[in-house]
Amino acid sequence: MKTTTLRLAPDVPDLQGLGADCFEDLMGWTEGLVGGPRAELVDEGKGWKLWRAPLPGTPDADGKVSERPRGAGTGWIQIKRFEGGGLGSAMKARLGQPRSSSFAGKEWNLLCSLREVGVPTPEPLAIGELGAALFSPASVLVTRELEDVQPMEAWLAERTDGRSRARLSRAFGVFFRRLLSAGVGPLSLTPSSIVVGTEDPSAASDCAFVQLAPKVEGALRFGDLPDVCLVSLPEGLGLAELDAAAVLSDLGRSFDQGSV
């Protein structure tokens, strides 16, 4: 019998909070995932498939709730399942930085590194690996799906005024500064890698801390920037030592190819 390992985020009380009983449920090898019947295939590539599924207690399209929440909240999660992927890719993940024992583990480690320096990403909730001496042949990563976000083009189409565009420009500056401080590369981002928050941070707030924050005449107020979020990790991303020339080169190639 092969062994499996599971790791949960601190705010996930147990695997049942995600609607599963075991590693096999998360991998889709069994039919035990509560949200399985409503799961949707989002994307796939060599050796992986990305699914979205509702957490227990999440209403269906008609607003009906068929089970109670189990401790991890409600809403949708994304489940990235890795099987295979090729020996070369496995060795890069195992020996590169961050050193990881599975493809899911590499993405988990990168998400933690990015979030540590303030880069908004989907929240990692769980990781599971099938035991192996060198590198796991099957692994799964569960993240909480981002809410209240839009693709950048849609965000701009709804906000054509100069102030909104200036806010987004400054928000991108903050986003890339944090991204660079995380020490990851190559920084080749596609439009599908980035989304923008739709909540209006310039609206009146009921938060006392925001209300009492010092105001500077003519300047953007505290928190007056939309969230720019990295919704998916670019292929081949890892920890890297990047100088300014390498960064400009990577981003330049992205723009040339029609990317963000």
Side-chain angles (χ1 to χ4, degrees), residues 36-48:
R38 294 162 60 190
E40 306 167 3
L41 181 63
V42 176
D43 198 5
E44 60 183 308
K46 183 181 178 181
W48 60 269

Side-chain angles (χ1 to χ4, degrees), residues 98-118:
R99 292 184 181 274
S100 306
S101 55
S102 68
F103 291 119
K106 181 179 179 181
E107 294 208 4
W108 172 283
N109 291 333
L110 285 170
L111 286 173
C112 291
S113 296
L114 290 165
R115 293 169 66 84
E116 204 171 87
V117 295

